[in-house]
Amino acid sequence: MDLLDETKHIFKKRFMREPALIVSAPGRVNLIGEHTDYNEGHVLPVAIDRFTAVAASSRADRLCRLYTANLDEGFEFDLDRLLDDRPHWVSYIMGVLAEMERDGWTISGKDIVVNGTVPVASGLSSSAALEIATATAVERLEGFQIDDARMVRFCQKSEHHFIGVQCGPMDQYASRACRRGHAGLLDCRSMEMTHHRLPEGIDLVSIYSGIPRSLAASAYNERLESCRKVVKILRKTDPHIHALRDATTDLVESHKSNLGERIYRRARHVVTEQERVFELIQAMEREDRRRMGEILMAGHESLSRDYEVSLPLLDNMVEWLCRQSGVIGARLTGAGFGGSLICLAESDACDVESLSEIFLEQFEKKTPERPQIWTLTTVDGARYQS
Ligand code: GLA
């Protein structure tokens, strides 16, 4: 049974009726543009064939009855009485419903079943997929038409207010709007996405490092604070700087001494990463695989050395992968502090199955959880069926 049928079936068993509709929203892998989204810069994610499905029906009252098949756990709450004492997974759904109402959409209660294949805490955005699946289900059930940017903003706020992570808009936007066969270039200031075709003959391989990414809320939020500090300092000499997106590498270099070493390196990552986004798009257009690999590697090095969100083991994994034949390049994808790597490989020169075997032999014993390797396919953003 596929994920959608299975989720419908679970809904019927749980709530004794058919769901009015079912939505599936994908996880994402970011090709380049890491930690640039909350600096109003650009990112280049793809949506992947790992989904969170939400089956849902409206109710006449304000009660929400939730069930997650992944954890086999239920929970109920009233939209007029949001409870602080709730399981972590409920926060994502409650947060979206609450922020949606705060954004001006009045909604009725819902029966909701969640069921997903995006691995949790692996850095592939299972949380954004759940948020977008929930928001899209409610949008369709209520007959609203919500533009992508607006939906992404309230999902993002729900993560800020209900989870405590001051994330940018990338993951939610990718889950809602990316297209199959394309990477989505999102301008995180104008909140517009353009779609760029991926070259043929490249396998998209994702490697879960085996180190769960506790989106170390505090470390992530600390990076955001450093970026804000830099903006404050740069603004003193140039009032046109509203976010790090507005700064150039030259400007950051010229402020090296008053920024201090660590903050300077954080800023250097963001401004150089912003350049790498456009360089990668150009290399993709030219189908210049060698250059694509160099850009991924430079991105990883910058995350590791300047932004300090990698770990020695992740650095070793990236180095090891890049030495294997047929591998174009590899880097950490997502926030870091564990999680997943993305690796691009030549379809006809790299046997991903044997690569996985050797990789596991090499690294399995060094990680708290078993590393995992998946070849991924790119897909369209959230879809629904009534
Ligand atoms: C997490 C956040 C995103 C983004 C990335 C880093 O995935 O949710 O908004 O900041 O980290 O690029």
Side-chain angles (χ1 to χ4, degrees):
M1 213 188 297
D2 75 6
L3 179 71
L4 297 190
D5 288 340
E6 187 187 80
T7 312
K8 267 189 214 160
H9 181 76
I10 298 170
F11 187 99
K12 241 161 91 183
K13 235 173 100 190
R14 180 89 191 174
F15 296 119
M16 303 306 186
R17 56 173 174 153
E18 293 278 346
L21 60 69
I22 179 151
V23 174
S24 66
R28 68 92 191 91
V29 158
N30 188 21
L31 296 184
I32 197 86
E34 224 62 90
H35 293 276
T36 46
D37 62 349
Y38 51 79
N39 289 300
E40 299 185 20
H42 293 79
V43 292
L44 193 67
V46 295
I48 55 170
D49 57 337
R50 295 294 183 276
F51 301 93
T52 296
V54 160
S57 283
S58 282
R59 302 172 51 87
D61 52 18
R62 297 265 291 164
L63 185 65
C64 291
R65 297 190 299 173
L66 316 179
Y67 175 73
T68 162
N70 296 92
L71 302 174
D72 183 21
E73 226 178 270
F75 193 82
E76 288 189 14
F77 68 93
D78 192 289
L79 281 167
D80 297 314
R81 250 173 296 116
L82 302 181
L83 309 167
D84 287 333
D85 188 13
R86 57 188 183 240
H88 188 63
W89 64 274
V90 170
S91 299
Y92 293 100
I93 302 172
M94 190 191 280
V96 167
L97 302 180
E99 290 300 334
M100 198 163 177
E101 289 217 305
R102 214 176 283 175
D103 191 47
W105 312 91
T106 304
I107 61 186
S108 68
K110 300 278 174 279
D111 286 341
I112 290 179
V113 165
V114 178
N115 188 21
T117 59
V118 190
V120 172
S122 66
L124 300 181
S125 291
S126 57
S127 41
L130 174 55
E131 289 156 13
I132 289 295
T134 305
T136 306
V138 175
E139 176 195 30
R140 303 320 312 172
L141 285 172
E142 302 284 357
F144 301 149
Q145 276 201 330
I146 307 179
D147 70 52
D148 297 341
R150 189 161 175 188
M151 180 180 287
V152 167
R153 284 298 187 209
F154 66 68
C155 287
Q156 194 190 344
K157 278 192 192 149
S158 104
E159 199 134 342
H160 294 179
H161 300 145
F162 285 75
I163 306 294
V165 177
Q166 300 297 313
C167 67
M170 167 171 72
D171 305 342
Q172 291 81 1
Y173 213 114
S175 182
R176 170 82 173 178
C178 270
R179 291 193 192 152
R180 187 172 170 207
H182 294 76
L185 172 68
L186 176 64
D187 178 333
C188 300
R189 175 168 283 165
S190 70
M191 293 291 278
E192 277 160 14
M193 184 177 262
T194 52
H195 302 275
H196 299 260
R197 186 169 284 289
L198 295 164
E200 300 287 326
I202 293 182
D203 280 341
L204 189 69
V205 185
S206 152
I207 295 115
Y208 169 55
S209 61
I211 305 170
R213 184 229 48 182
S214 50
L215 211 200
S218 54
Y220 183 92
N221 295 344
E222 184 270 328
R223 298 302 186 280
L224 169 72
E225 273 315 309
S226 306
C227 294
R228 288 194 174 142
K229 243 186 234 163
V230 177
V231 171
K232 258 196 199 153
I233 296 172
L234 299 185
R235 258 183 95 107
K236 285 188 190 143
T237 48
D238 184 346
H240 297 107
I241 308 280
H242 297 288
L244 258 185
R245 177 242 178 83
D246 302 314
T248 58
T249 28
D250 287 349
L251 185 72
V252 168
E253 287 302 325
S254 67
H255 279 80
K256 188 171 175 177
S257 54
N258 44 347
L259 289 175
E261 175 60 21
R262 173 167 277 193
I263 303 283
Y264 155 73
R265 279 191 285 115
R266 302 269 204 263
R268 181 168 68 178
H269 165 73
V270 176
V271 290
T272 56
E273 183 78 350
Q274 171 75 12
E275 287 167 4
R276 281 186 286 271
V277 173
F278 294 97
E279 283 168 9
L280 187 66
I281 290 177
Q282 285 162 10
M284 273 167 33
E285 277 164 7
R286 295 195 309 272
E287 306 216 352
D288 182 345
R289 289 159 163 69
R290 206 174 57 88
R291 185 69 196 128
M292 286 171 66
E294 286 167 3
I295 296 164
L296 296 188
M297 289 292 294
H300 182 82
E301 209 188 306
S302 176
L303 282 174
S304 175
R305 182 201 53 206
D306 282 354
Y307 219 60
E308 296 177 291
V309 294
S310 184
L311 301 169
L313 188 61
L314 299 180
D315 294 346
N316 290 344
M317 288 176 171
V318 167
E319 250 172 59
W320 185 90
L321 284 164
C322 291
R323 283 200 311 269
Q324 308 310 304
S325 83
V327 166
I328 296 171
R331 58 179 280 278
L332 176 61
T333 186
F337 319 107
S340 289
L341 311 174
I342 159 94
C343 169
L344 300 184
E346 302 271 7
S347 310
D348 54 7
C350 179
D351 173 4
V352 177
E353 225 169 273
S354 47
L355 179 83
S356 310
E357 272 172 32
I358 317 173
F359 181 89
L360 291 181
E361 259 170 41
Q362 195 79 15
F363 290 106
E364 209 163 18
K365 294 203 184 72
K366 300 181 182 158
T367 59
E369 288 177 10
R370 202 182 137 82
Q372 290 181 59
I373 304 195
W374 303 284
T375 304
L376 300 171
T377 308
T378 61
V379 297
D380 288 326
R383 289 289 167 272
Y384 73 95
Q385 266 178 23
S386 337

Short mmCIF file of all heavy atoms in Angstrom, two decimals, residues 28 92 120-127 171 208-209 211-216 333-340:
data_model
loop_
_atom_site.label_atom_id
_atom_site.label_comp_id
_atom_site.label_asym_id
_atom_site.label_seq_id
_atom_site.Cartn_x
_atom_site.Cartn_y
_atom_site.Cartn_z
N ARG A 28 13.27 18.12 2.00
CA ARG A 28 14.14 18.83 1.06
C ARG A 28 15.61 18.55 1.32
O ARG A 28 16.00 18.15 2.41
CB ARG A 28 13.89 20.35 1.10
CG ARG A 28 14.31 21.04 2.41
CD ARG A 28 15.74 21.59 2.39
NE ARG A 28 16.20 22.01 3.69
CZ ARG A 28 16.85 21.25 4.55
NH1 ARG A 28 17.14 20.01 4.27
NH2 ARG A 28 17.26 21.72 5.73
N TYR A 92 4.14 21.24 16.19
CA TYR A 92 4.21 21.64 14.78
C TYR A 92 2.82 21.91 14.22
O TYR A 92 2.60 22.88 13.50
CB TYR A 92 4.92 20.56 13.95
CG TYR A 92 6.38 20.43 14.31
CD1 TYR A 92 6.84 19.42 15.15
CD2 TYR A 92 7.30 21.35 13.84
CE1 TYR A 92 8.17 19.32 15.49
CE2 TYR A 92 8.65 21.26 14.17
CZ TYR A 92 9.07 20.24 15.00
OH TYR A 92 10.40 20.15 15.35
N VAL A 120 13.10 11.51 10.63
CA VAL A 120 13.04 12.59 11.62
C VAL A 120 14.45 12.91 12.15
O VAL A 120 15.27 12.00 12.31
CB VAL A 120 12.10 12.17 12.78
CG1 VAL A 120 12.15 13.16 13.94
CG2 VAL A 120 10.68 12.05 12.25
N ALA A 121 14.71 14.19 12.39
CA ALA A 121 15.99 14.66 12.97
C ALA A 121 17.21 14.31 12.13
O ALA A 121 18.32 14.21 12.63
CB ALA A 121 16.18 14.13 14.40
N SER A 122 17.00 14.12 10.83
CA SER A 122 18.13 13.76 9.97
C SER A 122 18.58 14.93 9.12
O SER A 122 19.48 14.81 8.31
CB SER A 122 17.73 12.60 9.06
OG SER A 122 16.74 13.06 8.17
N GLY A 123 17.92 16.09 9.27
CA GLY A 123 18.32 17.26 8.49
C GLY A 123 17.65 17.32 7.13
O GLY A 123 18.08 18.09 6.27
N LEU A 124 16.59 16.52 6.91
CA LEU A 124 15.90 16.55 5.61
C LEU A 124 14.54 17.25 5.72
O LEU A 124 13.66 17.09 4.86
CB LEU A 124 15.74 15.13 5.05
CG LEU A 124 17.06 14.37 4.81
CD1 LEU A 124 16.79 12.99 4.24
CD2 LEU A 124 17.99 15.14 3.88
N SER A 125 14.34 17.99 6.79
CA SER A 125 13.17 18.85 6.97
C SER A 125 11.85 18.13 7.14
O SER A 125 10.84 18.49 6.53
CB SER A 125 13.05 19.84 5.81
OG SER A 125 14.07 20.77 5.89
N SER A 126 11.84 17.12 8.00
CA SER A 126 10.56 16.47 8.30
C SER A 126 9.61 17.48 8.95
O SER A 126 8.40 17.42 8.74
CB SER A 126 10.78 15.27 9.22
OG SER A 126 11.43 15.68 10.39
N SER A 127 10.15 18.42 9.71
CA SER A 127 9.25 19.35 10.40
C SER A 127 8.59 20.32 9.42
O SER A 127 7.38 20.56 9.50
CB SER A 127 9.98 20.11 11.51
OG SER A 127 11.25 20.50 11.10
N ASP A 171 13.11 25.84 4.16
CA ASP A 171 12.60 24.47 4.19
C ASP A 171 11.11 24.44 3.83
O ASP A 171 10.66 23.59 3.06
CB ASP A 171 12.80 23.85 5.58
CG ASP A 171 14.24 23.91 6.02
OD1 ASP A 171 15.12 24.12 5.17
OD2 ASP A 171 14.50 23.79 7.24
N TYR A 208 22.68 10.18 5.59
CA TYR A 208 22.43 10.54 6.98
C TYR A 208 23.68 10.12 7.77
O TYR A 208 24.08 8.96 7.73
CB TYR A 208 21.17 9.84 7.51
CG TYR A 208 21.04 9.98 9.00
CD1 TYR A 208 21.06 11.24 9.59
CD2 TYR A 208 20.94 8.88 9.83
CE1 TYR A 208 20.99 11.39 10.96
CE2 TYR A 208 20.87 9.01 11.21
CZ TYR A 208 20.90 10.28 11.77
OH TYR A 208 20.84 10.42 13.13
N SER A 209 24.27 11.08 8.45
CA SER A 209 25.59 10.83 9.05
C SER A 209 25.54 9.84 10.20
O SER A 209 26.58 9.32 10.62
CB SER A 209 26.15 12.16 9.57
OG SER A 209 25.26 12.68 10.55
N ILE A 211 24.52 10.92 13.04
CA ILE A 211 24.57 11.81 14.20
C ILE A 211 23.30 12.65 14.14
O ILE A 211 23.15 13.51 13.28
CB ILE A 211 25.81 12.75 14.14
CG1 ILE A 211 27.06 11.89 13.98
CG2 ILE A 211 25.88 13.62 15.37
CD1 ILE A 211 28.30 12.70 13.67
N PRO A 212 22.33 12.37 15.04
CA PRO A 212 21.06 13.08 14.95
C PRO A 212 21.29 14.59 15.08
O PRO A 212 22.12 15.02 15.88
CB PRO A 212 20.25 12.57 16.14
CG PRO A 212 21.07 11.53 16.80
CD PRO A 212 22.43 11.49 16.18
N ARG A 213 20.57 15.31 14.24
CA ARG A 213 20.75 16.76 14.28
C ARG A 213 19.73 17.33 15.23
O ARG A 213 18.57 17.48 14.90
CB ARG A 213 20.55 17.31 12.87
CG ARG A 213 20.78 18.76 12.73
CD ARG A 213 19.64 19.41 12.00
NE ARG A 213 18.36 18.96 12.57
CZ ARG A 213 17.22 19.34 12.11
NH1 ARG A 213 17.13 20.11 11.09
NH2 ARG A 213 16.09 18.92 12.70
N SER A 214 20.18 17.60 16.44
CA SER A 214 19.27 18.23 17.38
C SER A 214 19.31 19.67 16.96
O SER A 214 20.13 20.39 17.45
CB SER A 214 19.82 18.09 18.79
OG SER A 214 21.17 18.52 18.79
N LEU A 215 18.51 20.11 15.99
CA LEU A 215 18.62 21.48 15.46
C LEU A 215 18.95 22.35 16.64
O LEU A 215 18.18 23.21 17.05
CB LEU A 215 17.32 21.93 14.81
CG LEU A 215 17.44 22.93 13.65
CD1 LEU A 215 16.26 23.69 13.32
CD2 LEU A 215 18.73 23.46 13.28
N ALA A 216 20.08 21.99 17.26
CA ALA A 216 20.54 22.66 18.44
C ALA A 216 20.01 24.08 18.40
O ALA A 216 20.64 24.99 17.88
CB ALA A 216 22.05 22.62 18.44
N THR A 333 24.36 19.36 4.38
CA THR A 333 23.18 20.07 3.91
C THR A 333 22.28 20.38 5.11
O THR A 333 22.20 19.57 6.04
CB THR A 333 22.42 19.26 2.83
OG1 THR A 333 21.37 20.05 2.31
CG2 THR A 333 21.87 17.95 3.35
N GLY A 334 21.66 21.54 5.12
CA GLY A 334 20.80 21.93 6.24
C GLY A 334 21.59 22.67 7.31
O GLY A 334 22.67 23.20 7.05
N ALA A 335 21.06 22.66 8.51
CA ALA A 335 21.63 23.51 9.57
C ALA A 335 23.00 23.05 10.04
O ALA A 335 23.83 23.86 10.45
CB ALA A 335 20.68 23.52 10.76
N GLY A 336 23.25 21.72 9.99
CA GLY A 336 24.53 21.22 10.50
C GLY A 336 24.38 20.67 11.90
O GLY A 336 23.28 20.25 12.27
N PHE A 337 25.45 20.62 12.66
CA PHE A 337 25.49 20.02 14.01
C PHE A 337 25.06 18.55 13.94
O PHE A 337 24.31 18.07 14.79
CB PHE A 337 24.56 20.77 14.98
CG PHE A 337 24.55 22.27 14.86
CD1 PHE A 337 23.48 22.95 14.30
CD2 PHE A 337 25.64 23.01 15.32
CE1 PHE A 337 23.46 24.33 14.21
CE2 PHE A 337 25.63 24.40 15.23
CZ PHE A 337 24.55 25.07 14.67
N GLY A 338 25.43 17.84 12.92
CA GLY A 338 24.97 16.47 12.67
C GLY A 338 24.09 16.48 11.43
O GLY A 338 24.24 17.36 10.58
N GLY A 339 23.18 15.53 11.34
CA GLY A 339 22.25 15.52 10.21
C GLY A 339 22.81 14.87 8.97
O GLY A 339 23.53 13.88 9.05
N SER A 340 22.51 15.45 7.81
CA SER A 340 22.80 14.76 6.55
C SER A 340 23.80 15.49 5.66
O SER A 340 23.98 16.71 5.76
CB SER A 340 21.50 14.58 5.76
OG SER A 340 20.70 13.62 6.38
#
